[in-house]
């Protein structure tokens, strides 16, 4: 999906993937965007991304989704 988002608006500055130390089936992805507006635009369009359907099939639970400002 990150590659789809990059193709959509090329606003991803960096992305990191983490695996839980206590549950290997839990992962977290941190994406740093050029702007909150670009992140929201990509999220709004994401249901049409080529890889979104497959990603949703693999997810059993979405624990947290939010936007944060870097300090």
């Amino acid at each position: 999906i990150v590659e789809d988002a990059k193709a959509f608006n090329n606003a991803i500055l960096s992305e990191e993937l983490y695996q839980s130390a206590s549950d290997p089936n839990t992962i977290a992805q941190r994406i740093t965007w050029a702007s909150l507006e670009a992140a929201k635009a990509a999220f709004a369009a994401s249901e049409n991304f080529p890889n979104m359907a497959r990603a949703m099939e693999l997810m059993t639970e979405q624990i947290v989704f939010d936007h944060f400002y870097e300090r």
Side-chain angles (χ1 to χ4, degrees):
I1 295 176
V2 169
E3 294 306 316
D4 293 341
K6 287 178 181 177
F8 173 75
N9 65 9
N10 199 29
I12 293 178
L13 301 177
S14 67
E15 56 99 10
E16 299 167 8
L17 194 62
Y18 301 91
Q19 184 177 32
S20 169
S22 61
D23 180 358
N25 294 313
T26 300
I27 61 167
Q29 187 168 34
R30 178 180 175 221
I31 301 173
T32 302
W33 294 85
S35 69
L36 182 57
E37 293 76 21
K40 287 181 177 183
F43 181 73
S46 66
E47 67 183 40
N48 296 316
F49 287 177
N51 294 301
M52 181 57 84
R54 179 66 179 136
M56 295 307 289
E57 288 174 9
L58 295 172
M59 286 185 215
T60 57
E61 179 181 10
Q62 185 174 344
I63 298 171
V64 175
F65 179 81
D66 206 341
H67 297 96
F68 299 89
Y69 290 108
E70 187 171 348
R71 296 192 152 240

